[in-house]
C-alpha cells in the first residue's frame, strides 16, 4: 500500500511506519518527496572530486599504471580502496582507448622452482632523460637485485655500468637485502661474461669467489629465466621513475626507490593455502653473510676542477693544487679503502685525501646531505599535482624479448652492458 494514500486518509507517520514495517524517517522522506519508491539512495561517490585529476594524468600518459595513479590520489586525500578506485576508472571510462593494447600476445611459459635463499637475479635498468644535474648523460643507471623465491628487491643508482661501478652497486644491493644467496643470475652483460659464448670473465669470477656465490648466465633468447627481476624493472619504471620530478637530486631519487622497495614488501602471497607477505617470506630465507668490506675494485671517474681548485666525488669536495681550474682529472678510489687519489690524465697523482668515515647514527653525505655526482645546490624539488614528471613521450617501457603489444608506446631501454 502507498504511504501517500494512508497519509491522505489521516494516518500519522508513526502509524504508517508500523503498518508498513519501515522506519519513521524513511516514511517521512517519502512523504516529503526526498526519496522515490523503487530507487535506492546513492551515497556520494568519493572518486568524483579526483576525476578531473585522473583524466588529465591519463590524457598526458595513457599507459600510466592504475597502481601508480592510485598512489598519487591517495597522497591527495582519496580514502577509497584500490578495487573501488579501479572500478571507478572503468565506470567513468577515464583511460583513453588504445586498440593495440587490447591485442593478446600470449606465449608459452614454464614455472621455474626457486628454493629459499638459492638465487638473486641482477639486472641493469636504464632510465631515460635523467636530469642534467646528475651528470650521467642521457640515461641514469639503476642496478636492481631481486630474491627469486620471495620477490623482495632492492636497487641502487649508479654513475656508470662499467665493472667497478657494477661491483660497488652489487655490494650495496646485497647489503640492503641483508646478505647474499648461493647463486647469482645475470644476462649476458659484458662486465660479467663474454656475450658471444656466455663464459664468465676472470675478473667477475674473482668477485663471485670473494662473496662466496656461484654465477648463472641466462641462455640466449631465454628471457623467462630472469622473470622476477624483469617484472621488478617494470614496476620500478612505472611506479617510481614515471613519477620522478625533473628537479629531484640523486639522493632524493635513491630515497624514493628505497621507499618503494620497502613498501612493496607488503605484497601478499599465498603459499600452500597460507596467506603471507613478501617481507615475511624474505625474512625466512637463509641468507649468507657477506664480507665487511666490498670487493677491492678500482673505481676511476673523470672530474673537472672547479674555480676554487676543488674536485667533487661521492658527495664531498677535495682540494687540488692551485692553477688547475677547468682541467680534467681522474679520481681513483679502491672500494673498501679510506683513501682516494686525484691524478692527471696521465695518471700522475697530484693529491691524496682520506675519505670521511660515516659516524654511527648520523647520515653520511652520500645518503642524506648532498647529491652523489653533482656539487651544485638544488632547490627543493616540486611536489603535488602540478609537479612535472616523466611523461609517456619521455619514458619508455623496460626491455622485453617479445614484440611490443602497443606500437604507440615507447619502451624503457634496458640493454645488456656492452652486448
Amino acid at each position: 500500500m502507498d504511504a501517500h494514500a494512508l497519509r491522505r486518509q489521516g494516518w500519522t507517520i508513526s502509524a504508517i511506519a508500523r503498518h508498513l514495517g519501515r522506519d519513521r524517517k524513511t516514511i517521512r522522506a517519502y512523504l516529503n518527496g526526498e526519496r522515490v519508491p523503487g530507487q535506492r539512495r546513492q551515497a556520494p561517490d568519493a572518486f568524483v572530486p579526483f576525476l578531473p585529476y585522473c583524466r588529465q594524468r591519463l590524457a598526458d600518459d595513457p599507459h600510466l599504471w592504475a597502481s601508480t595513479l592510485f598512489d598519487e590520489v591517495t597522497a591527495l586525500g582519496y580514502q577509497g580502496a584500490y578495487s573501488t578506485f579501479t572500478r571507478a576508472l572503468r565506470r567513468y571510462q577515464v583511460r583513453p582507448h588504445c586498440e593495440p593494447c587490447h591485442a593478446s600476445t600470449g606465449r608459452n611459459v614454464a614455472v621455474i622452482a626457486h628454493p629459499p635463499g638459492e638465487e638473486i637475479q641482477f639486472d641493469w635498468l636504464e632510465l631515460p632523460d635523467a636530469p642534467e644535474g646528475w651528470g650521467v648523460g642521457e640515461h641514469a643507471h639503476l642496478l636492481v637485485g631481486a630474491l627469486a623465491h620471495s620477490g623482495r628487491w632492492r636497487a641502487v643508482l649508479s654513475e656508470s655500468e662499467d665493472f667497478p661501478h657494477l661491483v660497488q652497486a652489487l655490494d650495496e644491493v646485497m647489503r640492503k637485502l641483508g646478505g647474499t644467496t648461493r647463486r647469482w643470475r645475470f644476462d649476458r652483460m659484458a662486465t660479467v661474461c663474454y656475450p658471444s659464448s656466455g663464459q664468465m670473465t676472470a675478473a667477475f669470477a674473482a668477485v663471485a669467489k670473494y662473496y662466496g656465490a656461484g654465477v648463472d648466465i641466462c641462455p640466449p633468447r631465454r628471457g623467462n629465466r630472469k622473470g622476477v627481476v624483469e617484472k621488478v624493472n617494470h614496476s620500478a619504471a612505472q611506479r617510481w621513475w614515471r613519477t620522478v620530478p625533473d628537479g629531484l637530486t640523486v639522493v632524493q631519487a635513491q630515497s624514493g626507490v628505497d621507499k618503494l622497495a620497502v613498501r612493496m614488501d607488503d605484497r601478499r602471497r599465498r603459499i600452500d593455502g597460507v596467506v603471507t607477505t613478501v617481507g615475511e617470506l624474505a625474512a625466512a630465507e637463509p641468507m649468507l653473510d657477506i664480507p665487511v668490506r666490498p670487493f677491492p675494485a678500482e673505481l676511476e671517474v673523470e672530474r673537472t676542477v672547479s674555480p676554487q681548485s676543488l674536485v667533487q666525488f661521492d658527495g664531498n669536495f677535495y682540494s687540488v693544487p692551485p692553477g688547475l681550474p677547468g682541467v680534467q682529472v681522474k679520481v681513483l678510489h679502491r672500494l673498501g679503502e679510506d683513501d682516494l687519489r686525484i691524478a692527471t690524465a696521465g695518471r700522475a697523482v697530484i693529491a691524496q685525501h682520506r675519505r670521511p668515515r660515516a659516524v654511527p647514527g648520523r647520515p653520511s653525505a652520500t645518503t642524506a646531505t648532498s647529491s652523489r655526482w653533482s656539487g651544485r645546490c638544488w632547490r627543493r624539488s616540486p611536489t603535488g599535482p602540478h609537479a612535472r614528471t616523466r611523461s609517456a613521450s619521455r619514458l619508455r617501457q623496460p626491455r622485453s624479448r617479445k614484440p611490443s603489444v602497443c606500437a604507440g608506446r615507447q619502451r624503457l631501454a634496458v640493454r645488456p652492458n656492452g652486448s
Side-chain angles (χ1 to χ4, degrees):
M1 183 176 290
D2 188 9
H4 292 276
L6 296 176
R7 184 64 171 174
R8 285 193 297 268
Q9 296 177 14
W11 288 43
T12 64
I13 293 178
S14 299
I16 297 173
R18 286 193 299 269
H19 181 72
L20 299 179
R22 297 291 185 268
D23 187 83
R24 288 178 300 173
K25 294 187 292 293
T26 304
I27 298 300
R28 185 179 292 108
Y30 279 116
L31 294 176
N32 294 335
E34 298 175 3
R35 299 183 62 179
V36 179
Q39 296 182 6
R40 300 187 61 179
R41 184 175 57 184
Q42 297 291 334
D45 192 347
F47 177 77
V48 172
F50 304 93
L51 181 58
Y53 177 80
C54 294
R55 287 192 186 279
Q56 184 62 48
R57 287 290 284 123
L58 291 176
D60 295 338
D61 191 353
H63 299 98
L64 183 70
W65 276 13
S67 56
T68 305
L69 187 58
F70 177 73
D71 293 339
E72 296 181 6
V73 297
T74 301
L76 295 175
Y78 180 72
Q79 299 294 330
Y82 177 71
S83 58
T84 306
F85 175 75
T86 54
R87 191 162 53 247
L89 290 179
R90 293 189 295 268
R91 182 172 66 253
Y92 291 101
Q93 298 180 353
V94 181
R95 188 182 297 276
H97 179 74
C98 181
E99 187 61 33
C101 288
H102 288 76
S104 60
T105 58
R107 61 176 178 176
N108 296 328
V109 296
V111 178
I112 302 176
H114 297 293
E118 181 66 23
E119 181 180 277
I120 299 179
Q121 299 177 4
F122 291 99
D123 196 12
W124 282 112
L125 180 64
E126 287 191 350
L127 307 169
D129 300 318
E132 294 182 1
W134 291 15
V136 296
E138 296 182 357
H139 295 83
H141 310 279
L142 186 75
L143 182 70
V144 181
L147 295 174
H149 173 72
S150 63
R152 170 181 281 180
W153 63 276
R154 296 295 184 264
V156 172
L157 283 165
S158 182
E159 185 173 355
S160 174
E161 295 183 9
D162 59 12
F163 179 78
H165 286 93
L166 170 64
V167 175
Q168 184 184 40
L170 194 77
D171 182 85
E172 293 183 21
V173 168
M174 288 189 294
R175 296 187 190 278
K176 290 176 182 290
L177 289 173
T180 182
T181 55
R182 288 179 285 273
R183 310 291 300 180
W184 298 344
R185 181 170 291 277
F186 294 87
D187 59 12
R188 299 196 168 200
M189 58 178 67
T191 49
V192 176
C193 67
Y194 299 102
S196 58
S197 63
Q199 183 180 0
M200 186 168 50
T201 63
F204 197 80
V207 176
K209 182 179 180 180
Y210 181 81
Y211 289 100
V215 178
D216 295 323
I217 306 298
C218 289
R221 296 175 294 279
R222 296 293 189 276
N224 288 344
R225 299 295 182 90
K226 205 158 51 65
V228 177
V229 71
E230 292 282 359
K231 183 59 179 177
V232 170
N233 289 345
H234 198 187
S235 299
Q238 295 285 349
R239 302 192 61 181
W240 168 67
W241 185 250
R242 222 176 180 103
T243 63
V244 170
D246 289 335
L248 215 64
T249 64
V250 176
V251 174
Q252 292 171 329
Q254 180 65 60
S255 176
V257 72
D258 289 340
K259 291 178 181 178
L260 174 63
V262 173
R263 190 166 69 248
M264 292 186 69
D265 285 349
D266 295 332
R267 289 171 293 166
R268 300 179 65 182
R269 294 289 185 268
R270 183 179 293 275
I271 306 297
D272 297 332
V274 179
V275 178
T276 183
T277 64
V278 170
E280 293 172 353
L281 285 175
E285 290 200 54
M287 304 289 286
L288 304 178
D289 294 332
I290 58 178
V292 177
R293 292 179 176 269
F295 180 81
E298 185 76 23
L299 196 66
E300 179 179 320
V301 295
E302 291 187 355
R303 292 292 186 267
T304 302
V305 180
S306 69
Q308 295 78 25
S309 296
L310 297 175
V311 174
Q312 188 274 337
F313 175 73
D314 208 12
N316 295 290
F317 290 89
Y318 301 92
S319 62
V320 296
L324 298 174
V327 175
Q328 293 286 333
V329 296
K330 294 183 178 180
V331 179
L332 308 176
H333 172 61
R334 187 178 296 274
L335 300 179
E337 295 185 355
D338 298 329
D339 297 335
L340 63 84
R341 295 162 293 157
I342 302 176
T344 61
R347 304 186 70 86
V349 178
I350 58 177
Q352 185 169 348
H353 296 276
R354 189 172 185 84
R355 301 188 65 199
R357 291 179 176 270
V359 179
R362 181 185 304 172
S364 63
T366 59
T367 59
T369 58
S370 64
S371 172
R372 176 172 294 184
W373 306 312
S374 174
R376 296 180 59 184
C377 296
W378 294 89
R379 59 179 175 84
R380 186 175 180 178
S381 58
T383 57
H386 301 292
R388 184 183 176 189
T389 56
R390 298 290 181 274
S391 64
S393 61
R394 302 180 63 198
L395 184 65
R396 296 177 292 278
Q397 300 290 337
R399 176 191 59 186
S400 174
R401 291 180 174 86
K402 65 179 182 179
S404 172
V405 299
C406 177
R409 185 191 313 178
Q410 291 178 311
R411 304 185 67 85
L412 184 66
V414 186
R415 59 173 177 80
N417 191 16
S419 60

